[in-house]
Amino acid sequence: MPAVSFEFFPPKSLQGSFRLWDCVSTLAPLKPEWVSVTYGAGGTTRELTRDAVAALGQEFGLNVAGHLTCVDASREETLDVARGFRAAGVTDIVALRGDPPKGADGFTPHPDGFQNSVELVEALAADGFNVRVGCYPDIHPEAAGPDADLDWLKRKIDAGASEAVSQFFFEAETFLRFRDRAVKAGIEATLVPGILPIEDWTKASKFARACGATIPEALEAAFERALRDDRADLLAIAQATELCDMLVEEGCDHLHFYTLNRPELTRDVCAALGLVPEASLSRVA
Ligand code: FAD
């Protein structure tokens, strides 16, 4: 049975807080190895992320990782957020460079900030945090090419990251080929596949297109038909379950789910994989 982890985003309203609570209450009984809370683009959710990681750790007893980016912040401001995580008992960080603010022409480091993700990883690892980083099976759109993308990933690992969590992708082959190339490039750290159970095909495919990811024609056609027949959720569960099955068969022993704070599809995919909530196990016993 694979280990799982779940990504949430911090709530921005009272309604959002209830939704997060519901999501975590539904998924926590699946005993994730860890969960994480994202950091808004441009550092827009600094306090919200810190408060959410603290609450999830304290109220649910989960191992929590806070995401952290270095967009639009000095080194001190960035490290201050990390110290806030530690004060809340959180010593795991998913460290990312972050995307430039909307409309900006590429990433420009803050004059007193970390210049890139490698510098951020180095500083956090030196300060004793367990650091995970992002990786891109479909190749990051800013990469000069596939090899340059892997060279950069290797630099992040060599700077002290313990493992890398991937961007979502649609086909197992995409991840497996990427993993093979990473091994050839001398990357020994675990690469954890990121799974997006597709709640909204239009948004998922738009995001993938913007990232330059390959969208299988057959999947596009299947979602178009399923949307017409009002069966998109069924297709989403079947697609994500088959993807996970193939990855597990090929030796992936950890799956990271992008929940988008909607627990149902992730819960159903986990159930299809045979992951049973602990509460129902104890009721059976
Ligand atoms: P990097 O790995 O630093 O850069 C991405 C690619 O660009 C590299 O692989 C490399 O090819 C190239 N590159 C960048 N800098 C250089 C350089 N100096 N020299 C050579 N090549 C370079 N964003 C948020 O805002 N908040 C989040 O919470 C968040 N969570 C995420 C979680 C995961 C698991 C993933 C995969 C992404 C997440 N993102 C998040 C998105 C992320 O911030 C963007 O994808 C961003 O564009 C890249 O961040 P990174 O740290 O992966 O970049």
Side-chain angles (χ1 to χ4, degrees), residues 16 63 88 121 123 130 181 190 192 221 241 250:
N63 293 324
V121 172
N130 176 32
R181 290 195 298 106
T190 302
V192 177
T241 305
E250 291 293 332

Side-chain angles (χ1 to χ4, degrees), residues 38-39 67 96-99 117 136 140 143 149 152 156 258:
T38 62
Y39 198 71
H67 291 212
L96 303 136
R97 184 201 67 186
D99 280 322
S117 56
Y136 300 88
H140 191 278
D149 209 28
W152 190 253
K156 295 197 287 188
Y258 292 105

Side-chain angles (χ1 to χ4, degrees), residues 48-245:
L48 293 171
T49 299
R50 190 203 50 220
D51 293 350
V53 295
L56 297 192
Q58 283 154 16
E59 300 297 326
F60 290 91
L62 295 166
N63 293 324
V64 191
H67 291 212
L68 183 57
T69 75
C70 49
V71 174
D72 203 20
S74 68
R75 281 171 180 255
E76 260 323 289
E77 285 164 340
T78 306
L79 292 175
D80 248 6
V81 179
R83 290 183 202 116
F85 288 163
R86 177 177 278 138
V90 170
T91 51
D92 281 21
I93 291 184
V94 181
L96 303 136
R97 184 201 67 186
D99 280 322
K102 268 198 185 106
D105 199 13
F107 172 80
T108 309
H110 184 283
D112 300 317
F114 292 106
Q115 298 298 297
N116 53 52
S117 56
V118 171
E119 285 192 6
L120 175 64
V121 172
E122 224 162 39
L124 294 172
D127 205 8
F129 287 98
N130 176 32
V131 185
R132 295 183 180 92
V133 291
C135 64
Y136 300 88
D138 272 305
I139 305 168
H140 191 278
E142 288 172 48
D147 292 344
D149 209 28
L150 275 180
D151 284 349
W152 190 253
L153 174 59
K154 185 159 184 336
R155 285 189 59 182
K156 295 197 287 188
I157 302 288
D158 291 346
S162 58
E163 57 184 16
V165 181
S166 91
Q167 184 57 277
F168 76 85
F169 50 90
F170 294 118
E171 292 180 298
E173 268 300 301
T174 306
F175 181 83
L176 297 171
R177 277 198 307 266
F178 171 69
R179 191 179 63 175
D180 288 347
R181 290 195 298 106
V183 170
K184 271 199 194 130
I187 293 171
E188 288 172 4
T190 302
L191 308 181
V192 177
I195 309 295
L196 177 73
I198 300 168
E199 182 95 28
D200 183 331
W201 172 253
T202 310
K203 275 192 195 154
S205 55
K206 189 173 163 202
F207 182 80
R209 228 168 255 122
C211 293
T214 332
I215 302 175
E217 272 175 36
L219 189 63
E220 178 130 53
F223 265 103
E224 277 166 14
R225 274 195 308 275
L227 282 164
R228 273 199 306 271
D229 300 345
D230 205 16
R231 295 163 72 88
D233 278 3
L234 278 181
L235 175 61
I237 294 165
Q239 187 266 343
T241 305
E242 190 185 349
L243 180 61
C244 292
D245 259 340

